Structure formats: C-alpha cells, structure tokens
C-alpha cells in the first residue's frame, strides 16, 4: 500500500471526535473545560501532523492516554524484530493491541519509510516552512442575567458588587506558530463574560494575556521555553500542571507518562508558570531547570494571604481588589536517568511568596501549609521486567510529611491487563502544583488501594473494571469526621466494525458527606450511575450517537433522588459542500442538584463541552462547521435549555428570568 493511501486511511479512519473520546474514558467527576484545553490542542496538532509509524519514538507514543506502557513497548519491539511495517494493518499483529485501541491510534500515524540521521533544520528554515494558526472565539448569551440589568446609582453606591462591570460577551484571541515538533510560539488573550474591556478597572483590553516560545528536540537541547509554560514530572506528586485523567474506564490512563516541559497556550489562568525552563539531554540523562515569577489573585487581610483565587474571573469590584496582589516565585529542577527497562528521576521545587500565607484556621485545614517559603522533593521510578511494569513516586515536603504512590501493571497474555495501585498522602503533605491519582481534590489526607482489570475475552468485546478503596484520616471540607469510601466501575464495550461502537457502564460509589436534615450529620452518600451509549457512522458522512444516563443518589437512611437523561446526536457531512452539521437533542428529569447529569456536546475547537443539568427539561443544540478552504474555517453553535419546573434559572447575579437559557458560540480559524 502506498504512503499516500495509508496516510489518507489513517487520517480519515476516526469515527469519533477526540473531545468525545476524552469524555467517554475520563473519570466520573468531569474537570473544568479549561483544564483540558492544552491537551485537546496538542492532540489536534498531532492529528494534523501524524507520526511515521516506522520511525515513531517512545516519547511520541507516550503522548497518547489510551496506550499503556506495555503496549508502547510492544509496538517498538515489533518494529525492532520485524522491521518497518509494510501495511498499517500490521498493527493488529502487535500483542495487546485491540480493535478499539487501534482505532484511537490510526488518526495519529501513517506508513512511511524509515529514515535515520535526519539533520536538524536551521531556525530560518523553521520560520519559512512553519504553520500559523489564528483563532478568535465569541460566546454570546441570548438571555439577560441579573448582573447586567440596570440599577440605580444609590443602590450601586451602597453595594458596588451588585452589578457586573463589563458586557456579557466572552471573547478570546489565539495565535500560534509551529514547525513540526520543534518550534512553537504564540499568544492567547481572553475576556470572560462580565469583565470590562478597555474601560473602568481594566484599561489594557483583555483581562488575560499569555505568551510562549518553545524550542524542542534540537540536538542535545530537549526543550527551551520562554514565557508561559507547564511542567510535569513522575506521577505528579511534586509537579504536574498538565491535564490528568486519573481513574477512568480505560486503565491505560492510570499512570501518567507525558513528562517534561510543555507550552501553555490555553485560557487556564492558574495552572501554569511564567519565566524560563530548559531541558538538556546527555546520553541516558535528562537535566531540567526552571524558574517562574508571576502574580496571583489572593485574598489579603492584614498583609497576610488567607486564600488564593484560582478562577481568573474579574467582573466585580471585589474581584479587582484581589487581582494580582500577590507574587509567587518557583525555582526547581529535575534529573532523570532512563534506559529501555529502567527509569529514575529526582525532582526538587522551591516556592516562595512575597508575603506570609496564613489561611483562616478551620477544623479541616489545620494541616494545610502556612508560611512564606515551601519546598518539596520527590523521586520517581519505573522498571519493566517481561510482562511486569512497576511505576512509582515518593515525595517529602518541608514539614517532613510524605506522599507515596506505587503502580504495578501485569500483562499475562495478549488482551489482558491487571493494574494495582497503592497511595498514601499524609494529611500534612503540601505541594502547590501537585496533581495525581486521588479521590480528593488535593494530594493530601488520603490513603487508598486500587485494582483495575481489562480483558478481551471474545472477539470485538472489551471488558474493563476497577475497584478503589479510599480513606481520609482527617476531616475534609464538607465532611466533619475522618471518613472512608469505595468507588467501583464496570464497562463492556462492543466494537464489531470500525464504524460502530457500543458500551454499557455501571459505576457504584459510596462516600461520606455532611447531610443537613433536622440536624447536621455526616453519613455515607451512595451513588449508582448507569450509562448506555451507541455510536454509528454510515459511509463516513453520517453519524449518530444515542446516550442514556440514569443515576440514583441516597444518603444513608434518607430517601433517594433519581436522575434520567436521554440524548441523541445526529451529525452529517455534506459531500458536495465543505459543511458539517451536528444536532443534539436531550430530555432530562432529575429530582435535585445532587442527581444532576452531565452530557457531551460538540463544541468549539480545542474545548470540551460538558454541560450539566438538573430538574426537568429539554436540551437542544445545533453545531455548524464550514470550511471555506484549507485555510479558513468557521464554527457556530446555538444551544438552548428549556426547563419545565421553574420560572427562573440560576441564582444571584447569574439569575435569568424565565424558563429558557439560550447561548451562541462563534469561532473562526485561519491557518496559513
């Protein structure tokens, strides 16, 4: 098969949007849209510039969340033993590669000749042959919220935080340049809804600006970044500002792989660094150093920081009072040694504020970090022996408290995997930018044991399940005593054809929370969640997706609440026009906010649209994409939620009078 045919096959074989795949395999507790923007953008860049499968490297394969360490090693071993692939269908001959995983991988690879000793291009050549991308996005609410309504000067003078300072329009502007996987630079500017634009408290236009310059894989220089960037090392116990799926229906996501320096091009206004970072490779060693100096939003009382504000929204007077009033500097490095079977890394981070951080003492936060300077040290390790893979990390902070995470993966034979995970996060452990596998929101105050299995017992079928037992030794926010819980999931996936996938997922979770009835008590909350989904594509131009969700939630000895949602998506790509239409229709009926349900909708580029619903109503959306040519693309989405059980939506300044909430999203991308 020729190169062009294989490349075309690989690029057009994907029947599902990558945003939807991430939603399908991600954890039950969906992360905010902005936390995944960078990751979706990177996957899109890889999709537009797929790898030559015959020259692919371990580092390149580690960028994909659906590939386990064993599968990556098996791909490289097959190429080493059998030589370059002659057809893309040889992926089916690699041990442990099932049909669904191959379907996920195909959009990112093509079949080409293996070439060695490719010379490093000059900077002038990279600028000449690189690709530019300019994206602008606007979100327009079609209802007027209370925060935008006119109020009298006397009321505003008495309570200046009773009215938003800016317009309800959301707008962002992004420019990016890249040459293959070697040179990136660009900027991002964003104005959130309600933020002033060139007026009042904001005279500089957009509320948020981000710039980055990244040089990668230039001989021994592995990476050099100036401006805004992200970092991740080991399993994230010391440093991880990247998107991390954690527990999911795919056990391949349980161990983090894509370490190192990455550009920050999203509109996330908290999880990034600003300054300089560099990595240098010397044989089997990689040395990384970084420094960051940036301003943060914080609540400051009596010259003490009592809390950090992480949402990046500045639309009220008291938001501007907390805007960029605190400086955090971060200094650190990482040394990593690795060969084909062994990996060892050492990470050190030193954080310091320009003033003392002393949060108000509450029963649940007495072990939180306090002071002006903080440091964390960690060692991460990986070893593979035949069908066993062992990965772990141990870290210690300045107070002497530790965090330990170990993962053992066993692949007895093709199509079967077993993962066991142990974690211990001391209640006093503190790492400001840690993000890893946990049930809680922070890497502290948690012990747990996880076991996951994945099997392909019958052709076209894939079964996956996990059980996670966790314990919180100290109080948490909203839980007034030490507590324990259990999280379990079972999923069966059926993929008889490349254009058809069906799965049934059941999740059971029990977790202590405070319940306020006649009196406040702490009791177990039990959740049963069931999802059935069918996806089908007809001749690559018509696809449909049917999703049924059902949830039951009940505190112990309290009546249960139920939720149900049926959603249907139709997508059509015209053959004679560069036009794609997607229609989503859903009906939801839940008893309360606790039994709310989340569904995936096609959204704008590089974003994950996961609206949540509670009450009784109907959700409709229309997504239109038109490619004028290979350079210019326009997208429009119109959506509406109509409720049957209320006359107003939302509360406070976000309240909408009436039972309908309508929005319009518009985006234009120009590539040159």
């Amino acid at each position: 098969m020729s190169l062009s045919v294989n490349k075309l096959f690989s690029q057009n074989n994907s029947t599902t949007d990558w945003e939807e795949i991430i939603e399908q395999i991600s954890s039950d507790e969906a992360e905010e849209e902005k936390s995944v923007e960078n990751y979706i953008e990177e996957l899109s860049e890889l999709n537009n510039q797929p790898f030559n499968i015959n020259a692919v490297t371990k580092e390149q394969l580690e960028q994909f969340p659906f590939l386990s360490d064993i599968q990556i090693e098996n791909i490289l071993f097959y190429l080493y033993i059998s030589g370059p692939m002659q057809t893309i269908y040889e992926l089916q001959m690699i041990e442990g590669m099932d049909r669904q995983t191959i379907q996920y991988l195909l959009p990112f690879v093509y079949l080409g000749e293996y070439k060695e000793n490719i010379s490093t291009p000059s900077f002038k050549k990279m600028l000449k042959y690189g690709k530019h991308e300019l994206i602008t996005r606007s979100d327009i609410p079609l209802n007027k919220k209370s925060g935008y309504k006119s109020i009298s000067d006397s009321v505003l003078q008495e309570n200046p935080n009773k009215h938003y300072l800016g317009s309800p329009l959301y707008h962002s502007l992004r420019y990016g340049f890249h040459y293959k996987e070697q040179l990136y630079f660009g900027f991002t500017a964003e104005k959130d809804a309600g933020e002033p634009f060139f007026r009042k408290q904001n005279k500089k236009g957009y509320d948020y600006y981000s710039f980055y310059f990244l040089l990668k894989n230039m001989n021994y220089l592995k990476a050099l970044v100036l401006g805004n960037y992200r970092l991740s090392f080991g399993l994230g116990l010391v440093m991880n500002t990247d998107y991390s799926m954690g527990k999911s229906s795919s056990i391949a996501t349980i161990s983090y792989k894509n370490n190192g320096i990455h550009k920050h091009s999203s509109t996330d206004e908290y999880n990034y660094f600003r300054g300089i970072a560099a990595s240098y490779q010397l044989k089997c060693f990689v040395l990384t150093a970084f420094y960051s100096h940036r301003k943060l939003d914080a609540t400051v009382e009596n010259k003490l920081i009592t809390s950090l504000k992480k949402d990046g929204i500045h639309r009220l007077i008291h938001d501007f009072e907390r805007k960029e009033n605190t400086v955090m500097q971060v200094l650190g490095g990482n040394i990593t040694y690795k060969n084909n079977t062994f990996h060892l890394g050492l990470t050190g981070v030193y954080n310091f504020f320009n003033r003392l951080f002393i949060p108000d003492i509450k029963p649940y936060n007495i072990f939180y970090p306090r002071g002006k300077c903080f440091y964390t040290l960690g060692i991460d390790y990986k070893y593979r022996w035949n069908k066993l893979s062992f990965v772990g990390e141990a870290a210690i902070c300045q107070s002497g408290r530790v965090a330990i995470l170990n993962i053992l993966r066993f692949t007895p034979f093709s199509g079967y995997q077993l993962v066991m995970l142990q974690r211990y996060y001391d209640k006093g452990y503190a790492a400001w930018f840690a993000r890893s596998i946990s049930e809680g929101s922070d890497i502290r105050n948690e012990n747990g044991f996880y076991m996951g299995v994945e099997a392909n017992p019958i052709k076209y079928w894939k079964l996956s399940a996990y059980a996670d037992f966790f314990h919180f030794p100290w109080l948490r926010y909203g839980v007034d005593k030490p507590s324990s819980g259990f999280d379990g999931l079972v999923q069966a996936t059926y993929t008889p054809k490349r254009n058809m996938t069906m799965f049934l997922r059941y999740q059971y979770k029990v977790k202590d929370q405070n319940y306020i009835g006649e009196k406040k008590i702490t009791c177990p909350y039990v959740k049963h969640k069931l999802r059935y989904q069918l996806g089908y594509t007809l001749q690559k131009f018509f696809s449909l997706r049917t999703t049924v969700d059902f949830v039951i939630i009940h505190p112990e000895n309290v009546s249960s609440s139920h939720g149900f949602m049926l959603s249907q998506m139709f997508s059509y790509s015209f053959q004679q026009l560069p036009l794609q239409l997607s229609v989503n229709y859903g009906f939801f009926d839940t008893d309360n906010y606790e039994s709310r349900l989340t569904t995936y909708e096609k959204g704008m580029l590089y974003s994950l649209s996961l609206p949540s619903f509670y009450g009784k109503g109907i959700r409709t959306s229309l997504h239109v994409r038109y490619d004028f040519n290979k350079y210019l693309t326009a997208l429009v989405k119109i959506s509406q939620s109509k409720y049957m059980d209320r006359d107003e939506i939302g509360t406070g300044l976000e309240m909408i009078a009436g039972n309908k909430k309508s929005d319009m999203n518009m985006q234009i991308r120009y590539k040159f």
Side-chain angles (χ1 to χ4, degrees):
M1 189 177 290
S2 68
L3 168 62
S4 60
V5 174
N6 277 283
K7 187 171 181 178
L8 182 64
F9 173 79
S10 68
Q11 288 177 321
N12 291 303
N13 190 61
S14 178
T15 60
T16 312
D17 289 331
W18 265 101
E19 294 87 344
E20 184 177 355
I21 292 173
I22 291 174
E23 187 274 334
Q24 287 176 6
I25 65 176
S26 62
S27 61
D28 176 59
E29 303 298 331
E31 298 207 23
E32 294 182 0
E33 178 181 348
K34 290 184 179 181
S35 68
V36 74
E37 272 186 24
N38 284 298
Y39 193 62
I40 294 177
E41 181 181 359
E42 289 171 1
L43 285 174
S44 299
E45 290 173 353
L46 296 176
N47 195 181
N48 292 330
Q49 286 197 161
F51 298 129
N52 177 2
I53 189 63
N54 286 323
V56 73
T57 65
K58 184 178 181 180
E59 288 74 16
Q60 290 170 333
L61 292 174
E62 285 178 342
Q63 298 180 64
F64 304 121
F66 50 85
L67 290 178
S68 68
D69 293 329
I70 301 295
Q71 288 173 324
I72 292 172
E73 293 293 344
N74 287 344
I75 292 172
L76 298 174
F77 182 73
Y78 180 88
L79 292 170
Y80 176 76
I81 295 298
S82 304
M85 293 184 187
Q86 302 303 310
T87 169
I88 204 75
Y89 296 103
E90 288 187 55
L91 286 170
Q92 301 173 84
M93 301 171 62
I94 298 176
E95 183 178 358
M97 295 293 288
D98 59 273
R99 172 172 284 192
Q100 186 181 53
T101 302
I102 293 173
Q103 179 178 321
Y104 288 169
L105 180 61
L106 282 175
F108 301 101
V109 297
Y110 70 93
L111 197 67
E113 297 180 0
Y114 178 71
K115 297 180 180 179
E116 293 184 340
N117 300 322
I118 300 176
S119 61
T120 302
S122 65
F123 192 73
K124 182 178 180 181
K125 180 180 178 180
M126 289 190 288
L127 291 176
K128 181 178 180 180
Y129 294 104
K131 297 181 179 180
H132 306 260
E133 182 178 71
L134 183 65
I135 297 179
T136 180
R137 171 175 170 174
S138 296
D139 296 350
I140 306 172
L142 303 180
N143 306 94
K144 196 165 189 177
K145 298 179 180 180
S146 294
Y148 301 103
K149 293 181 179 179
S150 300
I151 58 176
S152 64
D153 293 338
S154 58
V155 173
L156 190 60
Q157 186 173 4
E158 184 177 345
N159 189 348
N161 292 303
K162 209 170 180 61
H163 188 266
Y164 291 142
L165 297 170
S167 72
L169 174 72
Y170 168 92
H171 189 263
S172 65
L173 180 66
R174 297 169 59 165
Y175 164 77
F177 171 92
H178 78 274
Y179 175 82
K180 296 184 178 180
E181 285 188 283
Q182 294 180 297
L183 176 63
Y184 302 84
F185 60 81
F187 71 87
T188 301
E190 182 197 43
K191 169 205 172 304
D192 288 304
E195 293 178 341
F197 188 72
F198 282 117
R199 59 192 295 265
K200 295 185 177 179
Q201 280 74 11
N202 183 19
K203 304 296 185 182
K204 62 179 184 180
Y206 290 97
D207 180 74
Y208 168 71
Y209 290 96
S210 173
F211 304 89
Y212 63 89
F213 174 90
L214 174 62
L215 197 61
K216 295 180 64 178
N217 304 318
M218 302 292 289
N219 296 323
Y220 295 110
L221 181 65
K222 194 171 180 66
L224 170 66
V225 66
L226 301 172
N228 290 2
Y229 60 93
R230 296 172 289 117
L231 296 169
S232 60
F233 301 108
L235 293 173
L237 298 189
V238 175
M239 176 63 69
N240 179 19
T241 55
D242 279 327
Y243 173 70
S244 183
M245 289 185 181
K247 294 183 293 183
S248 74
S249 61
S250 171
I251 65 173
T253 66
I254 205 66
S255 59
Y256 196 79
K257 299 183 290 290
N258 191 20
N259 288 330
I261 300 171
H262 307 276
K263 63 183 175 66
H264 178 73
S265 56
S266 82
T267 54
D268 185 341
E269 299 184 36
Y270 179 76
N271 290 298
Y272 70 92
F273 301 100
R274 175 170 291 173
I276 183 171
S279 288
Y280 184 81
Q281 184 157 8
L282 184 62
K283 295 183 179 180
C284 294
F285 288 90
V286 177
L287 289 76
T288 302
F290 54 88
Y291 171 74
S292 170
H293 181 289
R294 56 171 295 211
K295 295 180 179 179
L296 300 176
D297 295 356
T299 300
V300 177
E301 298 177 0
N302 298 320
K303 298 183 179 180
L304 300 176
I305 305 168
T306 58
S307 65
L308 297 179
K309 185 176 183 292
K310 302 179 181 181
D311 59 13
I313 297 176
H314 308 100
R315 55 190 180 187
L316 298 170
I317 294 294
H318 69 71
D319 291 332
F320 280 93
E321 292 171 352
R322 294 180 287 178
K323 183 178 181 181
E324 297 184 346
N325 59 7
T326 298
V327 174
M328 173 189 272
Q329 297 184 69
V330 183
L331 179 69
N334 171 269
I335 301 175
T336 296
Y337 170 85
K338 58 182 176 179
N339 55 33
N340 292 333
T341 59
F342 180 70
H343 167 112
L344 183 66
L346 177 65
T347 305
V349 178
Y350 182 67
N351 304 51
F352 50 102
F353 291 98
N354 63 331
R355 63 183 89 222
L356 286 172
F357 178 82
I358 309 291
D360 295 334
I361 296 179
K362 306 289 183 181
Y364 66 87
N365 75 358
I366 61 174
F367 295 102
Y368 281 21
R370 289 172 170 81
K372 191 173 183 179
C373 304
F374 310 88
Y375 68 83
T376 315
L377 295 173
I379 182 170
D380 62 278
Y381 33 87
K382 178 190 293 187
Y383 179 70
R384 185 191 173 192
W385 180 68
N386 292 332
K387 299 180 182 296
L388 282 171
S389 175
F390 178 68
V391 185
E393 184 172 11
I396 186 170
C397 64
Q398 78 279 358
S399 63
R401 306 298 182 117
V402 300
I404 301 172
L405 174 61
N406 291 299
I407 303 171
L408 178 66
R409 188 183 299 270
F410 178 52
T411 307
F413 37 86
S414 180
Y416 291 81
Q417 290 188 71
L418 170 67
V419 173
M420 291 185 289
L421 178 150
Q422 166 272 332
R423 63 190 184 273
Y424 170 79
Y425 307 149
D426 192 282
K427 56 182 177 291
Y429 179 74
W432 286 96
F433 293 96
R435 180 186 293 182
S436 192
I437 301 157
S438 66
E439 179 61 31
S441 58
D442 297 311
I443 305 302
R444 68 162 63 91
N445 185 35
E446 182 176 335
N447 308 324
F449 178 78
Y450 165 102
M451 179 179 290
V453 295
E454 201 166 80
N456 298 88
I458 309 173
K459 191 177 182 180
Y460 308 137
W461 284 90
K462 185 174 185 177
L463 303 178
S464 57
Y466 72 73
D468 185 38
F469 302 86
F470 48 86
H471 174 66
F472 305 105
W474 188 247
L475 285 60
R476 298 183 298 123
Y477 179 78
V479 186
D480 292 341
K481 69 175 186 179
S483 57
S484 300
F486 172 79
D487 179 18
L489 180 145
V490 179
Q491 177 170 311
T493 304
Y494 179 54
T495 313
K497 304 176 182 179
R498 292 199 309 269
N499 62 343
M500 179 180 176
T501 300
M502 175 177 64
F503 72 81
L504 180 66
R505 178 193 301 165
Y506 169 70
Q507 184 178 20
Y508 170 83
K509 179 181 284 190
V510 55
K511 190 174 179 180
D512 288 342
Q513 295 183 39
N514 289 345
Y515 175 78
I516 302 177
E518 295 182 359
K519 62 178 182 178
K520 186 171 77 169
I521 60 173
T522 301
C523 63
Y525 270 63
V526 178
K527 176 191 285 188
H528 303 269
K529 191 171 183 180
L530 185 69
R531 168 173 285 191
Y532 168 79
Q533 184 166 294
L534 170 66
Y536 182 74
T537 300
L538 178 63
Q539 296 181 359
K540 299 182 182 179
F541 61 85
F542 176 74
S543 62
L544 59 86
R545 187 195 72 240
T546 304
T547 307
V548 181
D549 286 298
F550 185 69
V551 64
I552 300 176
I553 297 180
H554 57 91
E556 189 177 64
N557 301 321
V558 179
S559 59
S560 61
S561 60
H562 301 74
F564 170 80
M565 185 169 188
L566 171 64
S567 59
Q568 180 67 57
M569 184 276 291
F570 300 93
S571 184
Y572 186 81
S573 298
F574 288 83
Q575 300 300 291
Q576 305 300 323
L577 291 172
L579 177 66
Q580 299 177 31
L581 297 179
S582 180
V583 178
N584 194 83
Y585 179 85
F587 170 78
F588 56 92
D589 188 356
T590 78
D591 292 336
N592 49 40
Y593 180 77
E594 293 292 332
S595 56
R596 67 192 181 278
L597 289 165
T598 301
T599 188
Y600 165 79
E601 292 180 353
K602 189 185 288 287
M604 300 293 100
L605 297 171
Y606 311 146
S607 66
L608 187 62
S609 179
L610 293 172
S612 295
F613 308 98
Y614 73 96
K616 186 175 183 179
I618 295 173
R619 172 70 173 184
T620 55
S621 68
L622 171 65
H623 184 280
V624 181
R625 171 172 174 160
Y626 191 87
D627 293 282
F628 293 91
N629 48 48
K630 65 180 181 179
Y631 307 108
L632 185 63
T633 300
L635 298 93
V636 177
K637 178 183 177 182
I638 301 175
S639 56
Q640 182 183 85
S641 300
K642 181 179 180 181
Y643 295 86
M644 305 173 186
D645 59 347
R646 67 195 73 172
D647 295 323
E648 57 185 36
I649 303 170
T651 59
L653 299 182
E654 290 290 291
M655 190 188 73
I656 296 172
N659 68 336
K660 297 179 182 178
K661 181 179 182 296
S662 304
D663 298 278
M664 176 184 290
N665 312 114
M666 299 184 296
Q667 190 175 56
I668 295 176
R669 179 178 68 181
Y670 181 56
K671 301 173 71 173
F672 56 100

